[in-house]
Amino acid sequence: MTELLFRVAVVSAAVSVVLLPLLLASRWQKRYAPHTRRAVWLVITAVLLVVPLLPKAQAPVQIEVPQRTVIIPAPAPRASQTVMAPVQPALTEKFDQGVEAVEPTAPQRTLEWGAVLTALWLTGGLAVLIWQGVHYLLARKRLLKTAAPLTGYEELAKELCPGRTVRFFRVDGLDTPMTLGVLRPVVLLPDQNVRQAALRHELTHIRRWDVAWKYLLLLACAVHWFNPLVWVMSRRADRDMEASCDAAVVAGGNAAERRAYGELLLQTDIL
């Protein structure tokens, strides 16, 4: 687990080198379309989550170094060399008596900083997921408590989200349409008349699986919670997702429809 933390830290630092100029430079945000910026954020999110899990790269060619054993014969003793007499047992006993016995000391406990940092990293990541999960579940329960099923939008859902089942509910007191869920998406609509452009906006989110991408952004923030640039990227990505859906809704429309949708954005404060 400590090795995984090290990989996450290295990837987070490397990605920050790319994130910092993207977040600070405003020219590229004006130059490129929202869907392009959305794609860039999603690629960076995938790198943050996948690269730390990749196995270590091994060398394509491994060369074994040959080992050889060389035996050097010991030189024969000369006749002039004096042979040392063995140490007398009495001298050994006197030496043992003169040395005091040393008691073995207890091993000192050392603090493993790798384990401490790993525990801190896991605690922070779990705290982020639990906090966001509880907040989402409470908001979902509060919204669905007064929700009533709606019909009449099935044809539009089939047109914009082919192959997916979308349910619609009316919620009292809701200001703007909302989308919940990934596999079984639910579109919540205000109790008043809903413009078709706003409904297309939510269905575009469902067709592009934006809710799932937002969950991945949340997971990236939980894994890299110690990196503030990842949090800023998450907010920018969410904003560009909304702008990308707005651009998709007004694409192909005339000037009057674009003007009406712009007024709707100002009224509902979608951006």
Side-chain angles (χ1 to χ4, degrees), residues 20-55:
L20 187 59
L22 291 179
L23 296 175
L24 294 179
S26 59
R27 179 180 301 179
W28 88 282
Q29 298 179 8
K30 298 178 181 179
R31 182 176 180 180
Y32 295 98
H35 66 273
T36 302
R37 301 196 302 267
R38 170 182 175 271
V40 171
W41 301 132
L42 297 182
V43 169
I44 294 177
T45 302
V47 171
L48 289 171
L49 294 176
V50 175
V51 173
L53 301 178
L54 295 178

Side-chain angles (χ1 to χ4, degrees), residues 86-143:
V87 181
Q88 299 295 331
L91 180 59
T92 305
E93 294 178 359
K94 292 181 180 181
F95 178 77
D96 293 338
Q97 293 177 0
V99 178
E100 296 181 357
V102 180
E103 297 181 357
T105 58
Q108 298 180 356
R109 295 182 179 179
T110 58
L111 184 62
E112 297 182 1
W113 290 105
V116 174
L117 293 177
T118 302
L120 180 62
W121 169 59
L122 293 176
T123 303
L126 289 177
V128 172
L129 293 178
I130 292 174
W131 173 262
Q132 295 293 335
V134 171
H135 179 74
Y136 171 78
L137 292 177
L138 292 178
R140 180 186 177 93
K141 182 179 180 180
R142 177 177 56 83
L143 291 172

